């Protein structure tokens, strides 16, 4: 009986579409535990739509309408009923596909418009203008069906959503309310009477939470800065309450001064008050300013300008006292804000490499015959004397005057000269000497200084040079009173630099490099001390952290001196007995390299200081004397360890970590 009633109901429903569709009349739906396939076939007849049903779509369905509905509404009711059973509909090329909801997103090939059937599966692309698509995915995901899709495309800041049409419309409203320009745009607050720079500093102090907000907490973001050109405040915050508080403070503080007079006090953070006061007064008066001479007190020259402004400096507190009207003061305050900034530092490393090689050789034979010097009558004396430092005549008078090397001689006793002096009867002196001297000198001076400030380092000795002397002859009643005038000069290594940071990280360097030494052979000279000097003075451009060669010296000198007896010295082989030959070759290679580092932040300077501190500590420990059971041990304490908090404490070195990086040594 039940099956008969169901067949009759389906037959009646199937008979209605032609009549209802043709006359646009509503129909009544009454399906109770009806097979899904049969219900889809009936709605197809009612709505005139074509359905393609997946074989996996099975089960029963209940649809009951208390009042007649239109054919379009009957179609929507079917889609809703299918959605409740876990099935979805996808329209493609005039055919409605009925498939499981989990696979439906793979068959959607059209984009949805603002309108659409509520339970029809569609895809929509939202192009965001203000918010981030990647961040908005987490907001949209809970609002769509678990089997449907939402992804972000960062390249075009787009959000792709596949969901039912009703869900798409809901997400569209959500995105429209979120993706709009609002709190992120800066708010411009004009300042009419006060200085915008002073107000920004004051309000930031009154609202310290602006700088203490935790990262990522958008509600705590708060930025307030001043635009000196327009004398306005720029405010950015996601908290409307804070915006209102700042506006109220500005409205209260931006009013004409109630106290008579136009005196303002500005505390400087980085610049020097006397120098800055001199510059500002020159601007106000329209005259040029000159830097104070070295050694003079740093006091600002005050002058009354045409605009009625006056600037004085208090060096003790590093403050400026400005007497000017409000418009003039606002202009001066804007100039101070640009000049009172932290100046970067420049660390300069220099590398001086000097390699010298000297090779010398000498060989010679000298002959002498003075046997007949004391005999009566006519006698012959003579020999070969080539005038060298080790000549045979000098060796006869003082055998200890013979220098280094191999010296071989023939002595025939002693001979008394006419003046009674007794000398060796040295008949022959042969001398041979070869020397090889190499020197490798490496110096690495380095300096740190402020931008546009000169720095100098000297490592050496302060050597006295005699510039004059005087001695009176004295008399029987007065003693002689000799004296000398002495001038002391630095001898050693000198590095003097003045850096200037250019655009793009290029550094202009004014460099003076000098390496000097005292010539050891001149220490006992009657004419005074002689010094060797090598210096470079230049202005160069070098990129940050790059090495440049300042200059150098490459010298190769050869000296060959040959003394010989005419004719005899030219005889092959035997001629060597009548020659004295000296050969000398000297090579000098000197190069000076330099590299600058720019340090904009304090972290870079601290990191460099830590590295140098640890380096010198390791060098000191490596040079510590080993323990001995005979000699006293090296019990000197270790260098205090430089910890992260920059406190010096004796003990084991602590590990140091920092985010700043400095390049390695050249």
């Amino acid at each position: 009986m039940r099956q008969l009633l169901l067949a009759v109901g389906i037959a009646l429903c199937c008979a209605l579409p032609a009549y209802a569709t043709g006359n646009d009349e509503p129909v009544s739906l009454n399906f109770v535990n009806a097979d899904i396939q049969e219900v889809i076939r009936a709605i197809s007849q009612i709505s005139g739509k074509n359905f393609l049903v997946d074989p996996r779509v099975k089960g029963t369905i209940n649809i009951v309408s208390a009042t007649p509905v239109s054919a379009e509404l009957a179609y929507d009711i079917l889609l809703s009923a299918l959605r409740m059973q876990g099935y979805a509909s996808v329209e493609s090329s005039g055919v409605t596909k009925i498939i499981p909801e989990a696979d439906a997103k793979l068959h959607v090939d059209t984009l949805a418009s603002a309108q659409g059937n509520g339970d029809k599966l569609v895809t929509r692309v939202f192009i965001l203008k203000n918010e981030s698509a990647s961040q908005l995915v987490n907001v949209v995901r809970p609002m769509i069906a678990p089997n449907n899709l939402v992804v972000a495309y960062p390249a075009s800041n787009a959000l792709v959503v596949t969901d039912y049409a009703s869900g798409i419309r809901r997400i569209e409203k959500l995105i429209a309310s979120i993706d709009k320009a609002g709190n992120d745009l800066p708010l411009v607050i004009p300042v009419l009477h006060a200085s915008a720079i002073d107000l920004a500093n004051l309000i930031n102090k009154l609202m310290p939470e602006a700088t203490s907000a935790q990262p990522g907490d958008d509600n705590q973001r708060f930025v307030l800065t001043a635009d000196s050109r327009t004398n306005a405040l720029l405010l950015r915050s996601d908290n409307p309450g804070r915006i209102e508080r700042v506006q109220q403070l500005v409205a209260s503080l931006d009013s004409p001064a109630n106290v008579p007079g136009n005196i303002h006090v500005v505390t400087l953070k980085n610049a020097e008050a006397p120098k800055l006061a001199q510059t500002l007064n020159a601007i106000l008066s329209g005259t040029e300013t000159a830097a104070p001479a070295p050694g003079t007190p740093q006091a600002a020259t005050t002058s009354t300008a045409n605009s009625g402004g006056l600037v004085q400096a208090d060096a003790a507190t590093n403050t400026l006292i400005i007497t000017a009207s409000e418009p003039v003061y606002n202009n001066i305050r804007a100039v101070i804000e640009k000049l009172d900034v932290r100046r970067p530092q420049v660390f300069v490393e220099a590398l001086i490499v000097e390699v010298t090689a000297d090779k010398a050789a000498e060989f010679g034979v000298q002959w002498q015959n003075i046997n007949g010097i004391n005999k009566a009558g006519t006698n012959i004396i003579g020999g070969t004397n080539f005038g060298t430092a080790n000549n045979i005549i000098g060796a006869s008078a003082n055998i200890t005057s013979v220098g280094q090397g191999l010296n071989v001689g023939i002595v025939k006793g002693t001979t008394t000269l006419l003046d009674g002096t007794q000398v060796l009867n040295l008949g022959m002196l042969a001398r041979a000497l070869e020397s090889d001297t190499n020197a490798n000198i490496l110096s690495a001076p380095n300096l740190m200084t402020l931008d546009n400030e000169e720095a100098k380092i000297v490592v050496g000795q302060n050597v006295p040079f005699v510039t004059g002397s005087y001695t009176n002859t004295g008399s029987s009643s007065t003693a002689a009173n000799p004296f000398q005038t002495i001038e002391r000069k630095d001898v050693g290594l000198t590095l003097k630099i003045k850096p200037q940071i250019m655009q793009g990280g290029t550094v202009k360097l004014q460099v003076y490099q000098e390496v000097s030494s005292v010539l050891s052979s001149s220490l006992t000279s009657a004419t005074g001390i002689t010094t060797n000097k090598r210096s470079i003075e230049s202005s160069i451009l070098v990129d940050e952290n790059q090495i440049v060669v300042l200059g150098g010296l490459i010298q190769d000198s050869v000296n060959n001196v040959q003394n010989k007896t005419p004719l005899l010295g030219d005889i092959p082989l035997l001629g060597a007995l009548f020659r004295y030959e000296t050969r000398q070759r000297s090579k000098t290679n000197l190069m000076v390299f330099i590299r600058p580092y720019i340090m904009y932040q304090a972290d870079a300077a601290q990191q460099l200081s830590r590295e140098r501190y640890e380096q010198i500590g390791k060098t000191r420990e490596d040079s510590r004397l080993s323990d001995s059971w005979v000699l006293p041990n090296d019990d000197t304490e270790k260098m205090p360890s430089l910890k992260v908090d920059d406190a010096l404490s004796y003990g084991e070195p602590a590990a140091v970590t920092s985010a700043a990086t400095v390049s390695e040594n050249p």
Side-chain angles (χ1 to χ4, degrees):
M1 185 65 180
R2 180 178 180 181
Q3 294 179 351
L4 178 61
L5 292 176
L6 177 60
V8 172
I10 293 175
L12 291 175
C13 291
C14 292
L16 290 175
Y19 177 80
T21 304
N23 299 279
D24 196 19
E25 294 182 0
V27 295
S28 295
L29 302 178
N30 188 9
F31 299 101
V32 179
N33 293 327
D35 183 72
I36 290 181
Q37 299 283 348
E38 297 298 335
V39 175
I40 293 175
R41 185 177 298 106
I43 298 300
S44 175
Q45 294 294 328
I46 296 173
S47 62
K49 295 183 178 294
N50 300 319
F51 289 94
L52 181 62
V53 184
D54 191 281
R56 293 172 292 176
V57 178
K58 297 178 180 179
T60 59
I61 194 171
N62 296 317
I63 300 177
V64 177
S65 61
T67 59
V69 296
S70 64
E72 187 66 27
L73 182 56
Y75 172 71
D76 293 339
I77 293 174
L78 174 63
L79 298 184
S80 299
L82 292 174
R83 179 179 175 183
M84 296 177 64
Q85 297 294 327
Y87 304 115
S89 64
V90 178
E91 291 187 359
S92 177
S93 302
V95 177
T96 302
K97 299 177 182 178
I98 307 299
I99 56 180
E101 186 181 49
D103 299 337
K105 57 180 175 291
L106 303 177
H107 296 267
V108 178
D109 59 357
T110 58
L111 300 181
S113 59
Q115 294 80 21
N117 295 327
D119 293 304
K120 181 174 61 176
L121 201 64
V122 293
T123 296
R124 179 73 181 274
V125 178
F126 297 95
I127 304 297
L128 305 182
K129 299 179 180 179
N130 302 286
E131 295 296 330
S132 171
S134 301
Q135 295 180 357
L136 204 59
V137 167
N138 297 328
V139 179
V140 176
R141 164 55 63 186
M143 303 183 65
I144 66 175
N147 291 326
N148 293 336
L149 179 69
V150 53
V151 294
Y153 183 61
S156 58
N157 197 33
L159 200 66
V160 181
V161 182
T162 298
D163 197 15
Y164 297 99
S166 59
I168 291 292
R169 288 195 296 269
R170 184 172 64 254
I171 293 173
E172 182 180 16
K173 295 179 181 179
L174 174 65
I175 293 177
S177 62
I178 295 178
D179 184 36
K180 58 183 179 181
N183 297 334
D184 284 344
L185 291 180
L187 179 64
V188 180
I189 305 176
V191 180
L192 302 179
H193 305 286
S195 169
I197 298 173
D198 289 343
L199 283 183
N201 294 334
L202 180 60
I203 294 175
N204 283 325
K205 291 179 180 179
L206 293 175
M207 303 176 67
E209 64 272 15
T211 58
S212 61
Q214 296 297 326
D217 190 355
D218 295 341
N219 193 43
Q220 298 296 324
R221 287 190 304 173
F222 176 72
V223 179
L224 179 66
T225 185
D227 179 25
S228 58
R229 187 182 66 86
T230 59
N231 196 42
L233 293 173
L234 300 178
L235 174 63
R236 182 176 180 178
S237 176
D238 291 338
N239 192 327
R242 288 194 177 172
I243 295 177
E244 184 179 357
R245 287 174 59 191
V246 172
Q247 290 176 331
Q248 291 176 353
L249 284 174
V250 173
S252 301
L253 297 175
D254 184 26
S255 59
N258 297 327
V259 181
N262 297 310
I263 300 178
H264 308 270
V265 178
V266 179
T267 301
L268 302 180
K269 300 177 182 177
N270 301 284
E272 297 182 21
K275 293 182 179 180
L276 187 55
Q278 188 176 13
T279 302
L280 294 175
N281 281 318
I283 295 174
L284 293 173
S285 60
T287 59
E288 295 182 357
T289 179
T296 58
Q298 292 185 346
T301 302
T302 58
S303 61
T304 303
N306 295 331
S307 58
L310 183 68
V311 181
Q312 292 179 317
D314 182 21
T317 58
N318 199 39
T319 57
L320 295 177
I321 304 172
I322 303 174
T323 304
S325 60
E326 290 294 338
V328 175
Y329 169 72
N330 291 338
N331 291 332
I332 296 176
R333 192 66 180 87
V335 175
I336 294 174
E337 188 69 14
K338 295 183 179 298
L339 298 179
D340 185 28
V341 295
R342 178 187 175 93
R343 296 166 63 186
Q345 299 184 100
V346 179
F347 179 75
V348 179
E349 285 184 331
L351 193 65
I352 305 168
V353 183
E354 182 176 1
V355 180
T356 59
D358 294 331
K359 293 184 178 181
E362 57 179 294
F363 177 80
V365 180
Q366 302 175 69
W367 301 91
Q368 179 177 256
N369 182 16
I370 57 175
N371 290 329
I373 195 171
N374 291 323
K375 294 181 180 180
T378 302
N379 298 290
I380 297 175
I381 63 172
T384 57
N385 181 11
F386 298 116
T388 62
N390 300 281
N391 59 75
I392 193 170
I393 296 177
S396 299
N398 183 11
I399 194 63
T400 61
S401 66
V402 179
Q404 300 176 351
L406 176 64
N407 298 279
V408 179
I410 299 176
V411 180
K412 300 178 182 179
T414 60
T415 300
T416 303
L417 301 179
L418 296 177
D419 59 357
T421 304
Q422 192 175 27
V423 298
L424 292 174
N425 187 3
L426 187 59
M428 186 271 291
L429 177 64
R431 173 174 170 76
L433 174 66
E434 183 177 353
S435 63
D436 190 353
T437 304
N438 295 299
N440 188 347
I441 302 174
L442 175 65
S443 302
N446 48 73
L447 280 174
M448 182 182 293
T449 183
L450 287 173
D451 182 28
N452 274 322
E453 293 289 342
E454 185 179 283
K456 178 180 179 182
I457 184 174
V458 178
V459 180
Q461 295 177 323
N462 195 253
V463 180
F465 292 85
V466 178
T467 58
S469 63
Y470 174 78
T471 303
N472 56 9
T473 57
S475 61
S476 58
S477 59
T478 61
N481 184 23
F483 69 89
Q484 291 180 332
T485 58
I486 296 176
E487 179 184 3
R488 290 187 173 271
K489 295 182 179 180
D490 294 329
V491 176
L493 188 146
T494 302
L495 174 63
K496 183 167 61 175
I497 60 171
K498 183 178 181 181
Q500 181 182 358
I501 301 175
M502 313 293 286
Q503 185 178 6
T506 303
V507 181
K508 178 182 178 182
L509 290 175
Q510 296 180 8
V511 184
Y512 177 76
Q513 174 74 53
E514 177 185 311
V515 179
S516 58
S517 61
V518 176
L519 188 63
S520 58
S521 61
S522 67
L523 295 176
T524 58
S525 175
T527 59
I529 298 175
T530 302
T531 58
N532 299 320
K533 179 180 178 181
R534 297 182 178 92
S535 64
I536 295 176
E537 186 173 2
S538 178
S539 295
I540 60 172
L541 289 176
V542 56
D543 292 335
E544 179 186 4
N545 297 350
Q546 298 299 317
I547 301 176
V548 65
V549 58
L550 293 181
L553 170 66
I554 300 177
Q555 184 179 13
D556 190 356
S557 61
V558 179
N559 188 16
N560 188 11
V561 179
Q562 187 182 73
N563 298 320
K564 64 181 179 179
T565 302
L567 299 179
L568 295 177
D570 296 329
I571 299 175
L573 299 179
L574 294 178
L577 299 176
F578 301 95
R579 291 196 302 265
Y580 199 99
E581 187 173 2
T582 302
R583 294 182 179 182
Q584 184 176 6
R585 182 171 186 175
S586 300
K587 286 186 177 182
T588 301
N589 295 318
L590 173 65
M591 287 292 169
V592 180
F593 303 89
I594 200 166
R595 174 162 66 177
Y597 302 98
I598 301 177
M599 300 183 177
Y600 295 98
Q601 303 296 333
D603 291 344
Q606 292 175 2
Q607 174 68 8
L608 179 64
S609 300
R610 292 189 184 101
E611 290 180 357
R612 294 295 187 267
Y613 192 87
E614 292 177 351
Q615 179 182 359
I616 196 64
K618 184 178 184 303
T619 303
R620 186 173 181 271
E621 291 301 316
D622 292 341
S623 62
R624 184 184 293 273
L625 299 177
S626 59
D627 294 340
S628 173
W629 62 276
V630 178
L631 301 176
N633 293 327
D634 188 357
D635 296 330
T636 56
E637 293 183 345
K638 296 182 179 180
M639 290 182 61
S641 62
L642 188 62
K643 296 183 179 180
V644 179
D645 56 359
D646 297 333
L648 292 177
S649 60
Y650 285 90
E652 295 296 329
V656 179
T657 57
S658 176
T661 57
V662 179
S663 301
E664 298 178 354
N665 295 335

